[in-house]
Amino acid sequence: HEGNKPFQCEICSATFTQKTSLKLHSASIHGGNKPFKCEICSATSAQKSDLKRHSISVHEGNKPFQCEICSATFTQKTSLKLHSASIHEGNKPFKCDICDKNFTHGSFLKRHSASVHEGKKPFQCEICSATFTQKTNLKLHSASIHEGQKPFKCDICDKNFSRGSHLKKHSGSVHGNKK
């Protein structure tokens, strides 16, 4: 449930139930205060628990929560519940007043409104000044454009891609989804 979240970030419109959570968000997401560093890759985190979850899911491939319908796997039970509600049950109770698009979670609607209708792109690349609506897109940009990381490899022709979606598109268009 969404609950009462009276503390709102002025940069990205994220909301929180406690002022301390807003301060932690501001310092880590927008201020770059992430003292916990992954020993394997360049990931950093504001909280030790988030870094541990990163390591388990990304480097150990441990996603213990599996969808009984499509076998998709998740690192957190809440992610599985959101997946089931939106993908399999079509439950998207949060509706945009401007374009009528529906979302599974209130925070997704807020992010949509801020980026699509208000043009907010609060995450900026320190190297080339490109801006993004989501932190994950900034990280993907930095990894692929500035660090040359292409971790997704085609099993058929050995071509590498920066994103899984690019590999999937390549497989469909070049190889006809052959495995």
Side-chain angles (χ1 to χ4, degrees):
H1 67 93
E2 190 66 1
N4 185 20
K5 296 183 176 182
F7 303 99
Q8 185 173 27
C9 176
E10 293 179 1
I11 299 170
C12 70
S13 301
T15 56
F16 303 90
T17 56
Q18 299 178 337
K19 193 171 187 173
T20 53
S21 298
L22 171 59
K23 284 183 178 181
L24 178 63
H25 162 84
S26 295
S28 63
I29 302 300
H30 305 299
N33 184 13
K34 297 179 182 181
F36 301 100
K37 296 183 186 346
C38 179
E39 295 176 0
I40 300 168
C41 71
S42 60
T44 57
S45 176
Q47 295 182 344
K48 196 172 186 176
S49 59
D50 290 339
L51 189 62
K52 184 176 174 82
R53 187 169 33 249
H54 156 82
S55 186
I56 290 170
S57 65
V58 174
H59 302 301
E60 297 173 22
N62 187 1
K63 297 182 178 181
F65 302 98
Q66 185 171 27
C67 177
E68 295 177 358
I69 298 168
C70 71
S71 300
T73 56
F74 302 90
T75 55
Q76 296 180 310
K77 194 173 187 176
T78 53
S79 299
L80 170 59
K81 285 182 179 180
L82 273 176
H83 162 82
S84 294
S86 64
I87 303 299
H88 302 301
E89 298 167 18
N91 185 8
K92 297 181 179 182
F94 300 92
K95 188 174 183 177
C96 178
D97 293 335
I98 299 169
C99 69
D100 291 336
K101 189 169 182 176
N102 294 309
F103 299 89
T104 55
H105 201 273
S107 63
F108 298 164
L109 170 59
K110 286 176 185 174
R111 183 174 63 203
H112 160 81
S113 294
S115 63
V116 174
H117 302 301
E118 298 170 25
K120 289 184 180 178
K121 292 184 175 183
F123 304 98
Q124 185 172 26
C125 178
E126 294 177 359
I127 298 169
C128 70
S129 299
T131 56
F132 302 89
T133 58
Q134 296 180 46
K135 181 176 72 167
T136 52
N137 292 338
L138 170 59
K139 284 185 173 183
L140 282 169
H141 162 81
S142 295
S144 64
I145 302 300
H146 302 301
E147 298 170 20
Q149 291 181 17
K150 294 185 176 183
F152 300 94
K153 186 176 183 179
C154 177
D155 293 335
I156 299 168
C157 69
D158 291 337
K159 189 170 181 180
N160 292 308
F161 299 88
S162 58
R163 297 184 183 204
S165 60
H166 295 172
L167 170 59
K168 190 174 182 179
K169 186 177 180 180
H170 160 82
S171 296
S173 63
V174 175
H175 305 297
N177 283 330
K178 295 175 194 167
K179 271 264 171 175

